[in-house]
Amino acid sequence: MSGSGNLMDFLDEPFPDVGTYEDFHTIDWLREKSRDTDRHRKITSKSKESIWEFIKSLLDAWSGWAVMLLIGLLAGTLAGVIDLAVDWMTDLKEGICLSAFWYSHEQCCWTSNETTFEDRDKCPLWQKWSELLVKQSEGASAYILNYLMYILWALLFAFLAVSLVRVFAPYACGSGIPEIKTILSGFIIRGYLGKWTLLIKTVTLVLVVSSGLSLGKEGPLVHVACCCGNFFSSLFSKYSKNEGKRREVSYYFPLKTLWRSFFAALVAAFTLRSINPFGNSRLVLFYVEYHTPWYMAELFPFILLGVFGGLWGTLFIRCNIAWCRRRKTTKLGKYPVLEVIAVTAITAIVAYPNPYTRRSTSELISELFNDCGALESSQLCDYINDPNMTRPVDDIPDRPAGVGVYTAMWQLALALIFKIVITIFTFGMKIPSGLFIPSMAVGAMAGRMVGIGVEQLAYHHHDWIIFRNWCRPGADCVTPGLYAMVGAAACLGGVTRMTVSLVVIMFELTGGLEYIVPLMAAAVTSKWVADAFGKEGIYEAHIHLNGYPFLDVKDEFTHRTLATDVMRPRRGEPPLSVLTQGSMTVEDVETLIKETDYNGFPVVVSRDSERLIGFAQRRELIPAIKNARQRQEGIVSDSVMYFTEEPPELPANSPQPLKLRRVLNLSPFTVTDHTPMETVVDIFRKLGLRQCLVTRSGRLLGIITKKDVLRHMAQMANQDPESIMFN
């Protein structure tokens, strides 16, 4: 008995390696929360023993803020560097700065002493490739040479990007948001937030955006920031040894995480402001400053833009998912490099002749958002001016459209069709690809055209009843840039199904607080229209396409099924694999572990009674048995394994028994067999469960895993239940 007592004392200590999860498995939120509570309780009790332990407890308490500070600094720095690099490499496709090759076109001209305000986009220091190579700036040969150089640079950037992703970091492709949502919900994808993924995604993000492909960098930047968070949290044992602690978002979002997220955003914003990548001393990407308020009558075209955004979102999601499914199920998926090269070539060839598709998408959106002032030189501002006009610069009245506006209208129409089509095939390729900017570009082009139409209608028909009360002749009534901003919000909402967060994002991007109501109207309308055709946003659709085990809180389950309809084993299946509390040997348990791939085993009193005692995780049983064999004398294959406080009564010549009560979860989550599945689904969502046991009067009947719940929900929705691929 003294030997067994020493053994029990030893095994009361935590086992080495306990707490690690296998790849493509779901974490046990309740277990992780319990382990963190025990850790915190231990630190608190030790802090009273000495000054050093008290200092250690303070360091532990402040480690979260330290992680947030580091994340903010690195994320802000990377965002600024990416913006600066994209500006330079995008302009590199058209020419180079002779004084400093690392300058973008704008930087090159503004640093030149020979640049005038009227010709601010032209300067001797910046030369197009035709000027540099053949000393010609005009003519067919110069145009063709610049055209070819544009295509070659685009192909080079895209080839480098897809090659780096394919060779060094396959997880660096896509936007990353579907996977991030799944990881934050408790799923393990080893390497997805690793250092190599961070490095390659940062570099390739610059390359693909600079190539001119119809994609953005905002979505992938979420992945980049999460990689930063994973890297810095791994430096602190508080987070590195607890998967639940690293994921205090999604299903479980405590208030302290909100404050820390705010602090990280503050640091990142300060860092970005210090770098000043936009060159306007502002934090917003598309700063707008309109001088005309919006009127109630304009809500009708705003709502129409919302309808367009909802229809565009539905069209894009269905077509893109169909194309991505085809990519996964045909030979097309075996040639990612050729696919990227082909789409890049088509994009560059079609985009170059149209000035609105040739420039970067961010520049295009910025121009579409801008109001037409007296100093604007864009085609969109080519109005016929009244020579007798004596208005201030900021109060230019509505004017008839000139030739440049009509030219810009049909060019925008062609660019809109091209963007709609090419984005469907671009998003989802094996390169970093965001969707925010392309979606905003589609909406901004549609919105600007609608805005110009309303503006000209108000100018030529100001006596109509809808214009009479608020649009007098000679007044500045309609702001087409506002329509572009509303259209961008509508299309982004139609694709992502965001509402409140979308309005906040648009406010952050533009600084247009006064126009919150039009943005809200368009966002809500867009969501209503899109939801009429399907509840899934693009990221949820890709989660389902990839079979990730993600329980979306927005999915409603209204079917009247019971836990007994979903639990395993079902009728005709082998009985549930269980452990008994004191009658199985080490060899029996090792054999059971070897012959099955279950994540854990219910522990019962005996196979006859099936009375539930607790639940033992596979990942904790294996290292516990391994360490006991290596470090304890007398533990052999015939040793009886028990989960009770006291060892079972054994013959005198029996080998030393092995106590494993430490790894036993004595309070596993259970439901009865008649619990409605609607309740079970809510339990899995809100508690982030990995599995729950089904009992009747304390007797074990079966088990329901997260995968079973997802399969059942798919089956009830007339979908393929086998599409849920991961554990």
Side-chain angles (χ1 to χ4, degrees):
M1 286 297 296
S2 62
S4 356
N6 293 336
L7 178 61
M8 285 190 290
D9 293 339
F10 166 74
L11 288 176
D12 275 341
E13 294 299 317
F15 291 106
D17 300 327
V18 169
T20 57
Y21 293 89
E22 296 180 19
D23 204 5
F24 301 119
H25 282 67
T26 304
I27 71 170
D28 188 335
W29 281 97
L30 298 180
R31 190 73 164 171
E32 295 298 297
K33 177 65 177 174
S34 176
R35 290 179 61 224
D36 184 61
T37 302
D38 291 341
R39 182 197 65 83
H40 189 266
R41 189 183 297 117
K42 185 177 179 181
I43 289 175
T44 303
S45 62
K46 279 191 171 183
S47 65
K48 301 174 184 178
E49 297 176 0
S50 64
I51 295 295
W52 173 240
E53 292 295 338
F54 177 72
I55 293 174
K56 285 171 64 177
S57 69
L58 291 179
L59 292 175
D60 178 81
W62 280 92
S63 60
W65 295 101
V67 170
M68 293 303 111
L69 175 66
L70 295 171
I71 292 172
L73 288 171
L74 183 57
T77 302
L78 289 178
V81 169
I82 288 172
D83 278 322
L84 292 173
V86 165
D87 287 343
W88 170 62
M89 294 182 70
T90 299
D91 289 342
L92 191 62
K93 293 185 297 182
E94 298 189 35
I96 193 169
C97 185
L98 298 180
S99 60
F101 72 91
W102 58 87
Y103 277 175
S104 66
H105 187 179
E106 185 180 25
Q107 290 172 323
C108 186
C109 289
W110 280 110
T111 55
S112 172
N113 294 326
E114 303 175 39
T115 305
T116 61
F117 184 82
E118 290 76 14
D119 296 324
R120 54 190 178 276
D121 291 332
K122 299 177 182 179
C123 59
L125 292 179
W126 178 267
Q127 289 198 349
K128 294 183 178 180
W129 291 111
S130 61
E131 296 175 311
L132 188 67
L133 298 177
V134 296
K135 308 300 181 184
Q136 292 183 13
S137 59
E138 304 293 338
S141 58
Y143 182 86
I144 292 173
L145 180 58
N146 288 329
Y147 198 164
L148 290 175
M149 291 299 294
Y150 182 93
I151 296 171
L152 289 175
W153 278 112
L155 291 174
L156 176 63
F157 293 159
F159 176 74
L160 285 175
V162 69
S163 300
L164 288 171
V165 170
R166 185 175 173 83
V167 174
F168 295 104
Y171 283 151
C173 65
S175 73
I177 292 180
E179 289 78 10
I180 294 299
K181 293 181 69 171
T182 308
I183 289 172
L184 291 178
S185 73
F187 195 57
I188 300 288
I189 307 180
R190 300 287 180 202
Y192 199 85
L193 302 178
K195 293 183 284 293
W196 268 111
T197 304
L198 172 62
L199 176 62
I200 297 301
K201 187 131 193 175
T202 303
V203 174
T204 54
L205 183 57
V206 174
L207 290 169
V208 295
V209 174
S210 303
S211 70
L213 285 165
S214 184
L215 44 80
K217 56 181 179 293
E218 280 64 32
L221 278 174
V222 174
H223 187 185
V224 169
C226 286
C227 289
C228 297
N230 185 65
F231 171 71
F232 287 121
S233 64
S234 66
L235 303 179
F236 298 84
S237 61
K238 176 180 179 178
Y239 299 102
S240 63
K241 294 183 179 179
N242 192 301
E243 294 288 351
K245 193 71 177 169
R246 283 198 284 184
R247 290 169 166 79
E248 288 180 332
V249 220
S250 195
Y251 289 160
Y252 174 63
F253 195 84
L255 184 61
K256 64 179 179 181
T257 303
L258 177 64
W259 286 114
R260 288 177 179 176
S261 302
F262 177 79
F263 177 67
L266 174 66
V267 175
F270 174 78
T271 306
L272 193 64
R273 174 65 179 80
S274 302
I275 297 174
N276 190 24
F278 309 127
N280 56 5
S281 299
R282 300 184 187 275
L283 283 174
V284 295
L285 182 58
F286 309 115
Y287 179 74
V288 296
E289 190 173 6
Y290 303 136
H291 305 285
T292 306
W294 63 277
Y295 299 91
M296 288 298 295
E298 291 182 287
L299 275 179
F300 180 70
F302 293 155
I303 291 173
L304 285 181
L305 286 172
V307 173
F308 171 77
L311 294 175
W312 144 252
T314 301
L315 171 70
F316 175 80
I317 291 171
R318 292 191 176 182
C319 294
N320 180 255
I321 292 298
W323 180 252
C324 290
R325 185 175 287 112
R326 183 176 181 83
R327 182 189 289 126
K328 291 172 71 74
T329 56
T330 63
K331 291 184 178 180
L332 179 65
K334 298 180 180 178
Y335 306 101
V337 177
L338 288 178
E339 182 189 11
V340 171
I341 294 299
V343 173
T344 305
I346 294 171
T347 302
I349 291 170
V350 177
Y352 188 83
N354 190 331
Y356 292 109
T357 50
R358 183 192 310 172
R359 69 189 62 182
S360 73
T361 313
S362 297
E363 290 179 4
L364 169 63
I365 296 173
S366 182
E367 181 174 344
L368 294 171
F369 281 7
N370 279 343
D371 193 11
C372 284
L375 303 178
E376 291 292 335
S377 58
S378 168
Q379 269 191 322
L380 290 168
C381 298
D382 184 21
Y383 290 91
I384 300 174
N385 293 313
D386 183 358
N388 298 321
M389 183 181 68
T390 57
R391 292 291 188 91
V393 171
D394 291 340
D395 189 22
I396 299 176
D398 289 345
R399 299 156 289 168
V403 176
V405 173
Y406 289 112
T407 302
M409 288 285 279
W410 69 259
Q411 288 178 337
L412 279 178
L414 293 176
L416 176 62
I417 296 171
F418 172 65
K419 278 286 183 184
I420 287 175
V421 174
I422 202 65
T423 306
I424 291 171
F425 298 96
T426 304
F427 186 73
M429 294 195 300
K430 297 300 180 183
I431 50 175
S433 53
L435 197 56
F436 275 46
I437 293 297
S439 299
M440 289 178 64
V442 168
M445 286 187 282
R448 186 77 186 208
M449 289 190 289
V450 171
I452 292 174
V454 173
E455 178 192 46
Q456 294 304 301
L457 201 63
Y459 176 80
H460 293 289
H461 303 282
H462 54 80
D463 56 338
W464 286 8
I465 190 169
I466 58 173
F467 301 120
R468 190 182 303 161
N469 294 330
W470 59 277
C471 192
R472 299 181 306 276
D476 185 11
C477 306
V478 181
T479 306
L482 173 60
Y483 286 74
M485 187 169 74
V486 172
C491 284
L492 185 55
V495 171
T496 62
R497 300 295 200 275
M498 294 188 298
T499 50
V500 178
S501 56
L502 170 63
V503 175
V504 175
I505 288 171
M506 291 303 299
F507 165 59
E508 289 177 345
L509 287 175
T510 62
L513 181 60
E514 185 180 348
Y515 305 99
I516 287 292
V517 174
L519 291 173
M520 290 170 65
V524 171
T525 305
S526 172
K527 179 171 172 56
W528 281 344
V529 172
D531 282 351
F533 297 94
K535 299 290 185 181
E536 288 184 336
I538 185 64
Y539 301 124
E540 290 76 22
H542 273 270
I543 285 174
H544 291 160
L545 176 67
N546 293 322
Y548 296 140
F550 181 75
L551 276 172
D552 197 338
V553 294
K554 293 179 288 187
D555 291 340
E556 296 181 1
F557 187 86
T558 57
H559 303 280
R560 304 187 66 178
T561 51
L562 302 176
T564 188
D565 301 322
V566 182
M567 73 177 190
R568 292 181 299 164
R570 297 184 178 91
R571 189 173 298 173
E573 293 182 350
L576 197 64
S577 298
V578 298
L579 303 177
T580 57
Q581 69 174 3
S583 61
M584 296 181 71
T585 64
V586 171
E587 185 178 17
D588 294 335
V589 177
E590 288 178 329
T591 302
L592 181 63
I593 291 173
K594 185 177 180 181
E595 293 178 351
T596 63
D597 59 354
Y598 304 133
N599 291 325
F601 305 93
V603 179
V604 296
V605 174
S606 67
R607 295 187 185 277
D608 295 329
S609 70
E610 292 286 335
R611 292 287 177 182
L612 182 65
I613 298 298
F615 192 84
Q617 297 277 2
R618 178 193 191 94
R619 64 185 179 86
E620 297 184 350
L621 279 172
I622 294 175
I625 296 173
K626 179 182 177 182
N627 279 281
R629 278 183 174 274
Q630 292 176 349
R631 300 171 62 178
Q632 287 296 305
E633 295 182 3
I635 302 300
V636 294
S637 297
D638 291 335
S639 296
V640 172
M641 186 181 296
Y642 67 98
F643 296 93
T644 55
E645 285 289 352
E646 300 296 331
E649 294 184 4
L650 301 173
N653 59 348
S654 298
Q656 186 84 287
L658 174 59
K659 179 182 179 181
L660 286 184
R661 189 174 179 84
R662 181 73 179 180
V663 301
L664 180 65
N665 180 7
L666 293 170
S667 57
F669 205 95
T670 61
V671 296
T672 67
D673 54 333
H674 289 291
T675 304
M677 275 306 296
E678 185 178 3
T679 303
V680 174
V681 170
D682 272 347
I683 290 171
F684 269 86
R685 280 180 183 148
K686 294 174 180 177
L687 295 181
L689 293 184
R690 193 180 191 183
Q691 72 279 315
C692 75
L693 302 175
V694 183
T695 62
R696 180 191 294 169
S697 302
R699 183 173 178 269
L700 179 66
L701 296 181
I703 186 172
I704 298 177
T705 65
K706 189 176 183 180
K707 192 173 181 179
D708 295 326
V709 173
L710 288 163
R711 281 177 167 166
H712 182 67
M713 293 176 68
Q715 192 173 9
M716 292 293 100
N718 297 319
Q719 298 172 355
D720 180 16
E722 297 305 317
S723 63
I724 310 301
M725 298 184 296
F726 297 106
N727 292 318

